[in-house]
Structure formats: structure tokens, C-alpha cells
Amino acid sequence: MTEPEGNSLYARSETIQPRSVRGRFRSWKYLAMVVLLPWWYLAPFLRWDRGLGAPDQAILIDMGGRRAYFLGLEIWPQEVYYLTGILVVAAIVLFLVSALYGRVWCGFLCWQTVYTDLFVQIERMVIGDRTRRLALDRAPWSLDKLARKGAVHLLWILISGACGIAFTLYFGDAPTMLPAILTGRESVAVYGAIAVVGGFCYLLAGFAREQVCLYMCPYSRFQAAMFDEHSLIVGYETWRGEPRGRWRKGQPFEGRGHCIDCGVCVAVCPTGVDIRNGSQLGCIGCGLCIDGCDSMMDRVGLPRGLITWDSIASQAARAQGETPRHRLVRPRTLVYGAILAVALGVIGWSLLGRSTTEMTVLHERALLYVRLSDGSIRNGYVVKILNKVRSERQFTLDIEGLEGVRMSVIGGGPHLKVAPDSVGSFTVFVTAAAGIATGRRVPLVFVLRDQKGGDETRAESLFVGPDR
């Protein structure tokens, strides 16, 4: 099928230049920016004393040491399931908060929202408010336009570079890394990470902006599944605002709605949504349209709240002249709360019962067993002992499940020594006399005992004998 000349199946993307506004939601967005950005940049410099020989950075992902640290918690590669647990808890918290208060994450806390807001503030500082930015975009190129646009992009690049640098500081000692980065003494990998993270910050917050929320972020696609009629969301009170129309000073409001069709709610929206058309995928719940509408209601002498942050049920109650009620406790929130409590309980129980020793036993695969000259059967194993304590420890190893066997450790004596905060690997041979394990796959249990503390760690395996 050929499309008519001059027509397109897709609308051209237009740059959204939101208008500045004052109000409580705008103040909350400023507060989120003031809290989150300093935290992102300064958190790598927080110290946490973990003892001699341990890194003292409070939040650190030590790739070389294959360890992650968060305050007093130390995560080993074998404990990656904690990361899964954290992601599960974060998802449940997002679902619960969304069911209660709508898209507060998108409107105030998401890094895309925070950095886009910061970039818009820079544009406003260098060029001016919405009308001046739109006029400059339409104006032909000149020295003034080049200077202003260049200043904006220079500041964007500096902020994006700082974002990339902050990201890399979480993977090394920040007070040491930062001077090395600024003086060109760091590795190519570090500068590559800065370029990737900073480049995406510059691209997404400076150019993509609302396109990220509309097309790239999956959250907007399934947000409706987490809302119900009692979720607090940004909404337009149609019963009060319609029929809308232009208004002149002194004109009465009898027989018409309170919406004066000024378009301020659309002009201040960072994603260009007209909330009067109902709840939409593009609405991030930032509430700036509420501030804009309230300011216009103040000008014309009408009550605030034509656009409000409220539930559908409360809006319907007000439309009927009834007193609205907010229901925070309902089946949806109870289910989310129960799942969250279970997830936190499992993680907390796991952390409280966390062992300082782990052992894995790997049976040799090249030869499942070897028949010795005296007819006895020998199996080989690789025993790995993880010592999570920052001091050397000695262990004894015993076997349960098969009587009359001998055990020998290659390169080790009766005591297995494991260095501080490391993994010890030992080759262990288990030999059974002729006839004991014939035709069997006998379960074995390796029992590791700490000589000093007496704690036991167990690992199961098999002793393999001949089929006949």
C-alpha cells in the first residue's frame, strides 16, 4: 500500500519545553533532587571500619576481590542470591507504593526524572523559561544561539561526566580513584565505564527525555495493573471542570465548568500530557499540572483542586456530594504487604543465621573410581572451603556414611589450613577396602569442624564403586 504524498504514518517527535511553575509538588521535586544527587555523588566517600586489612568504604563493589560491601554487610560471589532477594524486595516495594500513591517513583525518585529535571533547570538558567527556549529553537543560527546552546551542552556534558565518574567510584577506593581519574592515571576500563554511563546520561536526560518514559521504560506499560479505584493518582475532576471554555475577567461561572482552557496544565507537564483527557501512559505522577492549575484557580478566584492527587473513588464521592474516604488497607495492599513481609523475613533470617564457613565437595569426573593393586576402591574429590573470617583458621575433615574407609589429603596434613578471607582448595582421596562398595553408589557426608570454635559444616557427595 502506498501512502499519500506528504502524509506519514508516524507523528514527528517534538521537543517538549516545560514551563516553570511554583507549588508544593514543585518543591517536593526540588527536595528530591537536593537529596538524591548529593547522595549519588558523595556516598562512595562514606567510610565504614571493617577491621585491619578490609576496605573501609561503606558502599563498595570490589571486582578484584570478588566481594560487595554495604555498611556492615559483606556479600561473596557464592551469596549472589542476596542480590536476587534485594531485587525482589525492591519490586514488591514498588508495587505496594504504586498501589497506594501512584507513580511517585517516576515523578520524584527515578534517575531519569531527576537528571532530566536538572538538565531543564540548566536550560532555564542559561536561556530562559519556556517561551524563550521555544523562540530560540525556532530562530536561525547566530552567534547568540550558538553561545547559549553551547553553554547548555557544556554544562550537560560536565554533569554527565560527573555522573559517570561517580558510578566508577563505587567499584574502588573513592579517595584514591578520584585524583587518579582527574589526572589521567586510571585504566582504560575506568574511562570506558565513565564514557558509557556519562554518555547515556547525556543522551537520555538531554535528548530522549520523555521518550524514555513513553517508549523505553516498561513500568508505564503495566502501571494500570497495580492501580485500583483507591490508588492516589493525578486526575482531573471532570464533573467540576466541564464544560470548559475560555474565560474573561468578570465573566461569571454559572452554567459552565471551572476549567478556563488556559493550557497551563499541559505547558508545565514534562511529558506533554493533557491530564484532562484522563489517566494516561505518559503521566509520571509528578503533580506539576496540579501546581499549574492551582495557580490559575487562585487568579480567577476559584477553589483549588480542579486537578488533584486523589483516588478515583474519592473523586466520584465528591461528584455526588459525599465525603471522600481514603482506603489504604484493602486486599491489594494487604497481599503486597504480606509478600513484602515474607521476603524481608526470609532475607533477615538468612542473614542472622549466616555461616562464616562454607564447603563444597566436587567428585572427580575423569575417573569415577580407581581400583588399586590390593583390590580396594579409591574415589577422588576436590574440597573447597570458604573462610569468611579475616584470620587464618584450621579445620579437621571427617567422613560419615561408609564404614572402613581411609581418607588422605594431598598436600595437607591432618589439619586443613585456610588463609583469612579466602577459599582453600584441597584434593581428597577416599579409599574403601575390596568388597565394601562393590556395585554401589554410597552416599557420603563430609564433615568439616573448626578446631577453634567447634562449628560443623556438612556437604553431601557419593562414593562410586564398580558395577560388579
Side-chain angles (χ1 to χ4, degrees):
M1 181 183 298
T2 60
E3 60 179 280
E5 185 177 355
N7 293 336
S8 174
L9 297 177
Y10 302 95
R12 182 183 296 274
S13 175
E14 296 182 2
T15 301
I16 295 177
Q17 297 286 9
R19 174 178 169 179
S20 62
V21 66
R22 294 182 179 179
R24 53 178 176 145
F25 289 95
R26 177 66 265 182
S27 299
W28 290 349
K29 284 179 70 67
Y30 281 137
L31 178 62
M33 189 189 304
V34 169
V35 171
L36 295 176
L37 288 178
W39 168 258
W40 170 248
Y41 289 112
L42 299 178
F45 295 92
L46 297 177
R47 303 292 98 184
W48 188 274
D49 185 12
R50 297 186 178 89
L52 186 64
D56 63 350
Q57 188 160 309
I59 305 174
L60 174 65
I61 302 175
D62 185 4
M63 301 297 288
R66 293 177 295 179
R67 220 71 50 84
Y69 302 90
F70 182 79
L71 303 180
L73 184 62
E74 178 179 348
I75 304 297
W76 288 66
Q78 295 87 344
E79 298 172 323
V80 70
Y81 48 82
Y82 283 119
L83 176 60
T84 304
I86 292 172
L87 294 177
V88 169
V89 168
I92 299 171
V93 169
L94 179 63
F95 297 161
L96 178 60
V97 172
S98 298
L100 291 172
Y101 305 111
R103 293 180 67 176
V104 292
W105 165 262
C106 295
F108 300 92
L109 305 175
C110 174
W111 79 268
Q112 172 69 17
T113 296
V114 173
Y115 270 100
T116 298
D117 201 10
L118 177 60
F119 280 26
V120 171
Q121 297 302 321
I122 290 173
E123 278 189 304
R124 186 172 293 130
M125 177 183 65
V126 176
I127 300 175
D129 202 7
R130 181 173 185 264
T131 54
R132 292 192 176 184
R133 298 200 302 274
L134 290 174
L136 187 66
D137 287 341
R138 291 191 294 264
W141 282 99
S142 63
L143 289 178
D144 178 69
K145 181 173 181 177
L146 182 62
R148 291 179 181 274
K149 288 287 187 177
V152 167
H153 283 271
L154 177 61
L155 292 173
W156 285 359
I157 291 172
L158 291 176
I159 293 173
S160 300
C163 176
I165 291 174
F167 174 79
T168 61
L169 296 182
Y170 286 92
F171 294 84
D173 184 58
T176 303
M177 283 187 66
L178 183 59
I181 291 172
L182 297 179
T183 56
R185 293 182 286 110
E186 265 296 349
S187 65
V188 175
V190 171
Y191 290 113
I194 294 173
V196 171
V197 176
F200 272 104
C201 179
Y202 176 66
L203 175 64
L204 299 182
F207 297 93
R209 293 190 177 178
E210 74 283 348
Q211 307 297 320
V212 175
C213 304
L214 294 175
Y215 304 113
M216 298 173 63
C217 179
Y219 178 48
S220 60
R221 304 292 170 178
F222 58 80
Q223 60 168 323
M226 292 178 286
F227 296 165
D228 58 22
E229 66 274 13
H230 297 288
S231 301
L232 299 180
I233 59 175
V234 177
Y236 169 68
E237 296 198 331
T238 307
W239 62 273
R240 175 186 158 188
E242 300 297 326
R244 75 183 76 157
R246 292 289 181 177
W247 176 84
R248 294 180 180 180
K249 188 174 182 180
Q251 181 181 357
F253 281 91
E254 286 78 9
R256 55 159 293 167
H258 287 180
C259 178
I260 61 175
D261 204 16
C262 61
V264 171
C265 56
V266 181
V268 300
C269 179
T271 58
V273 166
D274 188 344
I275 196 62
R276 295 173 296 179
N277 295 331
S279 181
Q280 301 161 58
L281 178 148
C283 177
I284 61 174
C286 64
L288 295 183
C289 56
I290 299 177
D291 290 339
C293 185
D294 284 348
S295 68
M296 296 306 297
M297 292 296 102
D298 292 342
R299 287 187 182 185
V300 300
L302 292 174
R304 292 186 167 197
L306 179 58
I307 301 177
T308 182
W309 187 55
D310 206 349
S311 67
I312 296 175
S314 294
Q315 289 186 7
R318 277 195 298 274
Q320 299 297 325
E322 302 173 357
T323 302
R325 293 194 311 167
H326 299 300
R327 289 184 55 193
L328 297 180
V329 180
R330 51 192 193 270
R332 182 186 298 264
T333 59
L334 289 175
V335 170
Y336 288 151
I339 297 174
L340 179 61
V342 170
L344 290 174
V346 170
I347 294 177
W349 175 82
S350 177
L351 288 174
L352 291 175
R354 196 171 177 222
S355 173
T356 58
T357 309
E358 289 187 13
M359 176 177 59
T360 57
V361 178
L362 304 176
H363 196 290
E364 290 285 359
R365 294 185 178 182
L367 291 174
L368 293 179
Y369 67 92
V370 174
R371 190 189 298 273
L372 301 182
S373 57
D374 60 356
S376 58
I377 304 300
R378 187 179 72 185
N379 283 202
Y381 305 86
V382 176
V383 177
K384 294 183 179 292
I385 303 173
L386 172 60
N387 177 19
K388 299 180 183 178
V389 179
R390 298 189 181 279
S391 60
E392 184 180 80
R393 300 166 71 187
Q394 292 190 1
F395 301 90
T396 57
L397 186 64
D398 295 317
I399 293 177
E400 296 179 356
L402 187 61
E403 300 295 334
V405 298
R406 305 188 307 274
M407 182 182 66
S408 60
V409 181
I410 303 300
H415 306 307
L416 307 181
K417 296 182 180 180
V418 182
D421 199 32
S422 62
V423 178
S425 182
F426 305 91
T427 300
V428 177
F429 290 126
V430 177
T431 306
I436 292 182
T438 302
R440 295 184 181 181
R441 289 178 176 265
V442 182
L444 284 182
V445 178
F446 288 76
V447 182
L448 185 71
R449 293 185 178 86
D450 183 0
Q451 286 190 330
K452 187 174 182 180
D455 297 332
E456 287 189 0
T457 303
R458 294 171 172 263
E460 297 181 354
S461 187
L462 292 173
F463 186 90
V464 180
D467 292 335
R468 305 183 186 183

